Amino acid sequence: MSQHSASNPYAPSQPGATDLSQPLYGAGIGDAVKRFFKKYATFSGRASRSEYWWWTLVNAVVLTVLGIWTITAAVGSVNTVTGELEGTSFLFPYALIGLWGLATLVPGIALTVRRLHDGGFTGWLFLLALVPGLGGLALLVLALMPSKPEGARYDAGAPQYGAYPQA
């Protein structure tokens, strides 16, 4: 059997039958974006590396396109003779950047928390983002970590604590 015709071990058993409460390992770009918005404010559970990094790529592309549009609109609004800003055409793409940021803020935090859970870390480590410089780097390293079975304790409905020890 050729290497290209081998089945994907991470693929769901039936197309479209993926349980949203479980991480989708080997997710494609479309699945990752759908799951990002379907699990808008779900902080419990886990997110696979593919879910996290596909969304990160989509978000970076959207912000880059909007940023380039804003810069070109702002440059086009400057009077070449006086150097003063004359138009307001840059305000629309600038507003879209703000709306995009607001629309993706909560699900972005939730996705990062679920990614931390999949690596076996507590979601409270997201607060590292508040540390200037090194906090973002630490989150990057944690998001790169492989999945660990211990992360299942963060799934919805999983027991939070072990059995109470008998005296």
Side-chain angles (χ1 to χ4, degrees), residues 41-95:
T42 304
F43 289 85
S44 63
R46 299 172 286 160
S48 67
R49 282 193 286 187
S50 58
E51 286 179 69
Y52 181 82
W53 289 110
W54 277 125
W55 170 253
T56 302
L57 176 66
V58 167
N59 192 38
V61 167
V62 168
L63 287 174
T64 300
V65 168
L66 289 175
I68 291 170
W69 183 17
T70 303
I71 290 169
T72 56
V75 168
S77 298
V78 174
N79 184 327
T80 56
V81 176
T82 64
E84 294 179 3
L85 189 64
E86 290 184 343
T88 58
S89 63
F90 68 95
L91 291 178
F92 182 68
Y94 190 70

Side-chain angles (χ1 to χ4, degrees), residues 21-22 44-46 117 149-163:
S21 67
Q22 297 298 314
S44 63
R46 299 172 286 160
H117 288 170
E150 298 88 32
R153 70 177 182 248
Y154 296 106
D155 289 345
Q160 295 299 312
Y161 304 101

Side-chain angles (χ1 to χ4, degrees), residues 24 26-40 47-64 66 97 99-115 126 143:
L24 180 60
I29 191 167
D31 290 332
V33 172
K34 285 180 206 169
R35 288 173 69 90
F36 177 80
F37 286 110
K38 283 184 180 178
K39 298 175 82 169
Y40 191 87
S48 67
R49 282 193 286 187
S50 58
E51 286 179 69
Y52 181 82
W53 289 110
W54 277 125
W55 170 253
T56 302
L57 176 66
V58 167
N59 192 38
V61 167
V62 168
L63 287 174
T64 300
L66 289 175
I97 290 174
L99 288 174
W100 179 261
L102 286 174
T104 59
L105 178 67
V106 172
I109 294 170
L111 179 65
T112 304
V113 167
R114 291 194 313 269
R115 178 68 208 122
F126 181 79

